Amino acid sequence: MKLVLASKNPHKLREMETILSQLGLEVVLESDVGVDVDVEETGTTFAENALLKARAVMEASGMAAIADDSGLMVDALGGAPGVYSARYGHLDSDQARTAYLLHNLEQVPAGERSARFVSAIACVLPDGRTVTAQGSCEGEILFAPRGENGFGYDPVFYVPELGKTFAEAAPDEKNAVSHRGRALHAFLSAWKENLHAE
Ligand code: IMP
């Protein structure tokens, strides 16, 4: 089965297609099926926003759609940027948002910079059935970026489990422990449980 990814982010596509291919699912971007949907993420949770995005793209394409809504929650900032991670500070680049995050944490000492990435996955089929899952990954925000891989806040997110930042990790290493990797594995189980007759 082909799933349309409700995202224009090729990084997310790469992270998702490796894992979903295990179910024989092929993931394509909206642009590959001629759909360009701008969904207003009005939900207050990652799960709500993932469902909003997947449902909108399913309706526009007539095909099964999958969405990931994800973000970074920093304890010292009361869980910010959270669902606003992609729009943090109303800034328009990963570098600017990361610099803004580091600026907001300037006075926060090492040991108090705990954070987690959270990912909610939602898939909506044309008959209205949904499959959802969630995953998270614990880490700490460094004082300066490290590494060149990945995207978003990866260079400042240090993962004790890996001994490096997400941006220093190879794609497979990141997938093995990341919020999205974990959400996708939970999604595999939920899919098999709910749709095994398909
Ligand atoms: P979304 O595309 O609306 O889900 O926004 C997610 C935002 O959270 C992205 O723009 C990134 O800033 C951040 N984010 C989510 N997942 C990751 C990740 O794996 N690495 C780094 N940043 C991420």
Side-chain angles (χ1 to χ4, degrees):
M1 188 193 288
K2 210 180 252 191
L3 298 182
V4 186
L5 175 61
S7 171
K8 295 169 184 78
N9 184 338
H11 294 278
K12 281 193 183 178
L13 175 69
R14 267 198 298 281
E15 291 186 8
M16 293 175 88
E17 66 189 352
T18 317
I19 295 173
L20 292 175
S21 63
Q22 293 175 29
L23 283 176
L25 296 172
E26 184 194 344
V27 190
V28 296
L29 283 173
E30 290 169 48
S31 49
D32 295 330
V33 294
V35 166
D36 183 6
V37 187
D38 229 343
V39 185
E40 236 194 294
E41 296 180 22
T42 51
T44 54
T45 64
F46 296 112
E48 273 178 66
N49 282 333
L51 257 180
L52 278 174
K53 290 193 270 189
R55 193 162 282 132
V57 168
M58 184 281 286
E59 281 166 4
S61 65
M63 297 167 66
I66 187 165
D68 153 273
D69 196 64
S70 46
L72 179 66
M73 303 184 75
V74 180
D75 293 323
L77 300 175
V83 290
Y84 305 108
S85 294
R87 308 163 253 172
Y88 194 35
H90 303 288
L91 294 162
D92 61 5
S93 74
D94 283 342
Q95 277 101 326
R97 286 185 288 267
T98 301
Y100 182 60
L101 174 72
L102 292 182
H103 168 75
N104 290 339
L105 288 172
E106 244 163 32
Q107 304 304 322
V108 180
E112 294 176 24
R113 299 171 71 96
S114 54
R116 69 204 47 78
F117 269 119
V118 178
S119 160
I121 306 271
C123 177
V124 179
L125 302 184
D127 64 11
R129 280 179 302 171
T130 62
V131 182
T132 59
Q134 198 152 322
S136 63
C137 177
E138 298 289 326
E140 289 152 32
I141 307 300
L142 296 182
F143 288 85
R146 270 171 39 185
E148 304 293 329
N149 300 332
F151 68 101
Y153 304 95
D154 279 350
V156 294
F157 189 74
Y158 176 83
V159 186
E161 216 176 330
L162 294 175
K164 53 178 95 166
T165 67
F166 267 169
E168 292 173 311
D172 284 355
E173 281 180 302
K174 178 181 173 186
N175 274 341
V177 301
S178 80
H179 49 310
R180 196 166 301 102
R182 288 180 171 146
L184 284 165
H185 278 108
F187 178 82
L188 294 189
S189 308
W191 177 282
K192 284 181 197 152
E193 244 169 63
N194 293 307
L195 304 176
H196 65 276
E198 259 55 39

